Amino acid sequence: MRQRPLRRTARGNLPSELSGFIGRGAELAELGGLLEVSRLVTVTGVGGVGKSRLVLAAARSAAEEAREAPEAPGVRGAHAPAEERYCDGVWLAELACVRDPALLELALSEALGLTDHTTRAPRAVLAEHLADKRLLLVLDGFEQLVDETAALVRDLLLRSPGLRVLAAGRRPLEVAGERTFPLAPPVAEEALALLEARASAADPAFAPTGADRAALAEVCARLDGIPLALELAAGRLRTLSPAQVLARLEDRFGLLTGGVRGGLPRHRTLRTAIGWSHELCTPAERLLWARLSVFAGQFDLEAAEYVCAGPDMPVEGVLDLVGELLAQSLLVREETAAGVRFRMLETVRLYGAGWLESLGDAVRLRRRHRDWYMGLATWCELDWFSPRQHEVAALVEAELPNLRLALECCLDEPDELHLGQYLAGTLWFYWAGCGRLTEGRHWLDRTLDHPGGQVTEYESSRLKALWVLGYVAALQGDATASMCALYECRDGAARSGNRVAAAYAVHRLGCLALVSDDMARARELLGEALEQYRAAGELNSNVLMCQVELGMALAFLGDLPGALALCGEVREICEERGERWTKAYALYVLAYAALEAGGTREARRLLTECVEINHAFSDLVGLVLTLELLALVTVAEGDPAEAAVLQGAAEPLWGGVGLQLFGSGYFNAPRLMCRERAGEALGAERYAAFAAEGRELGRESLVVRALRGAARVPRPAGLGGVPGPRVSRSTAPADQP
């Protein structure tokens, strides 16, 4: 039997291992055995016992097997080899920062790299995506949403026969068929090895003697071998000897047990170890620990300085205090696309949060946290129109858990609901430009529909949320909701004399007409909005997008010189300002015009840059439109087979774009023409085979293939002249692929 080649890449999103995984060989083997016979395995145990590290180690092992094993036909189902069970990857969803049940499905979609712009229920999107997949989904930190997580997992397992779930939590999910794996602390030898390894990492000069080893072994015993407690103790070995650490632990445990020697229950052991670390901190370190507990997930130094500093904690001293908490293993330092960031383990954070509540300072700190992220969002909106656009996208992505927390804070305070409307509206660039339409719609709806959301005292914030909602709904294909929001915004702007909000409302009504195929109306509204923007002195990515959309309408109506003039000007401004997101849409229109004029080489060059930009920003709308126009260019170059592959690869993306664009005769014209021309050249059977090959490509592979085509030498044209994509609704009715 001929074997197919080894897999060169492995799908998934598992993070790299920052520190060595020590011991647990027996547990890993047992856990792997459970995964072979059960589709849902939950590792349970007290906080800090090492559940997350164990499931990640098991997941990495499964991913490695799937990557290295040859693709060969084999037994499917429960006893299939790892390369068959996990051929669609191993994916991690970290849920500790998800507190709103409505965001649970979105968190899983995000973890799976799934983007959907429609108004479909996120659970339905997830189930559809997973229906024919064979993958391992790792869930960590679901305790705050255990019932909702259990219901979701139950539903997905029923509807996705190839799905397996490995979960880590303090309690089981209690779903039918679940196998639980209670995790005990490591055995004495492994606990000692872990403590010594972490102590050596904290202090390279650490070199225990025989007496030291005896003290360290007793430390492990007193801490019940709980890995998190050992990590905290290792941080103390930078300044204390093993004997001193042991003596202080003995004092602490004796105080709690009334001097009676004996093991404490493990949850009390961990809390005692954390409390001991807390007592050994200086007052300033304890205060910072408590204040840092208001953050969700990662945070950077600037945020910590703003939120936590005050008269009792000078801002210039926060850096040193952060360094001390890092040295004591109370904080973790991580390198991310947004720069150096810090994170507090959830068990440690919860202890600090309790301390903050006892100080009576929790409400004030939550408001300071909200204020910082309000300011961050405002700065990011302004900086979106700059060369730092990609960095802004990465920063907002990293800060999303904290931005969600800030939005929740606004919703919890009736008098500050306008701040939530402002914040949800200010993040328009992230919702629309970075593939987050569904989540944006969630927050916009919540802030506008909330009791008190109609208060007009802060009308400008409400108007901003309304036009952003209209924009998001239009891109989702929800014309009714879009129109209602935009008319309300337009009327409110007229009453209050808000010229800028009026311009945005007219602009987005024009955008809605554009995606609804009403090109004459789109030309009228977009031209009017452009005049209003200029009269108000407004210039940003939205204004340039209005000009591009007007150019699109002109191009679809046959006025190519007008479209070229508008989009050429946008291109120049974007290159001057370093703006890339809007530039991609301008390049799309310029490529459309170039193809109309027979300039396939120029069209390909422009579209290649479009693909790079749209993919970088996860802009699914721009990406699918660009790929389909690129497929038509490929037909014109005389390569119908490659065109069919690109066309087939683009088809699955349409399901996540939105029904309005999906049914547009103008926007769908390149797809229809590509299918017609390539089908004529290849024949129906060969076209279908190449398109099927494309549908099997993941998005990353598709983008690589599209970009690789830029260096391809086109084959001689064999189709004769290929007309450009200009159509009208009467000549090219929309179809459903």
Side-chain angles (χ1 to χ4, degrees), residues 171-183:
R171 51 166 290 184
L173 287 167
E174 297 182 355
V175 172
E178 178 183 32
R179 297 290 295 271
T180 59
F181 183 83
L183 183 63

Side-chain angles (χ1 to χ4, degrees), residues 249-454:
L249 274 178
E250 291 282 3
D251 291 343
R252 174 67 179 174
F253 277 60
L255 179 66
L256 288 179
T257 59
V260 178
R261 186 172 178 81
L264 291 171
R266 283 174 180 148
H267 67 279
R268 289 185 61 197
T269 303
L270 177 62
R271 188 165 182 81
T272 300
I274 296 176
W276 173 68
S277 289
H278 190 263
E279 289 176 2
L280 291 178
C281 288
T282 65
E285 291 166 1
R286 289 197 294 268
L287 187 59
L288 181 61
W289 178 351
R291 291 178 176 177
L292 289 175
S293 70
V294 299
F295 289 98
Q298 299 174 337
F299 56 88
D300 61 19
L301 179 62
E302 289 78 10
E305 288 175 335
Y306 177 86
V307 174
C308 301
D312 50 358
M313 183 176 291
V315 66
E316 59 271 15
V318 172
L319 174 59
D320 289 338
L321 293 172
V322 166
E324 288 301 318
L325 295 181
L326 278 169
Q328 298 168 48
S329 300
L330 295 166
L331 285 180
V332 178
R333 181 183 186 274
E334 296 178 343
E335 296 279 353
T336 73
V340 174
R341 305 180 67 74
F342 306 98
R343 177 174 56 85
M344 188 173 283
L345 294 177
E346 186 65 9
T347 305
V348 176
R349 189 196 70 79
L350 289 172
Y351 190 96
W355 191 261
L356 188 64
E357 290 285 352
S358 70
L359 293 174
D361 206 20
V363 172
R364 184 184 71 86
L365 263 293
R366 280 196 289 268
R367 287 177 176 166
R368 284 187 66 82
H369 175 276
R370 178 209 60 203
D371 292 347
W372 171 261
Y373 286 100
M374 292 277 293
L376 180 76
T378 301
W379 174 84
C380 286
E381 181 188 29
L382 294 172
D383 224 30
W384 181 255
F385 188 48
S386 79
R388 293 176 294 279
Q389 199 170 54
H390 195 269
E391 288 82 353
V392 167
L395 177 60
V396 177
E397 184 77 15
E399 294 288 13
L400 186 57
N402 284 302
L403 288 164
R404 288 169 174 165
L405 198 60
L407 283 160
E408 287 287 358
C409 182
C410 296
L411 289 165
D412 288 342
E413 299 286 343
D415 294 339
E416 296 176 349
L417 186 60
H418 64 284
L419 297 178
Q421 294 173 344
Y422 171 83
L423 181 53
T426 296
L427 290 170
W428 67 264
F429 63 91
Y430 185 62
W431 311 139
C434 301
R436 293 282 188 169
L437 292 179
T438 304
E439 178 155 0
R441 180 73 180 269
H442 168 77
W443 291 113
L444 291 160
D445 281 338
R446 282 192 66 187
T447 58
L448 288 166
D449 295 343
H450 193 281
Q454 304 300 314

Side-chain angles (χ1 to χ4, degrees), residues 2-19:
R2 182 176 65 88
Q3 285 190 336
R4 286 174 283 178
L6 295 178
R7 298 182 189 275
R8 295 182 180 273
T9 60
R11 298 182 183 180
N13 66 338
L14 298 180
S16 58
E17 198 167 26
L18 298 179
S19 57

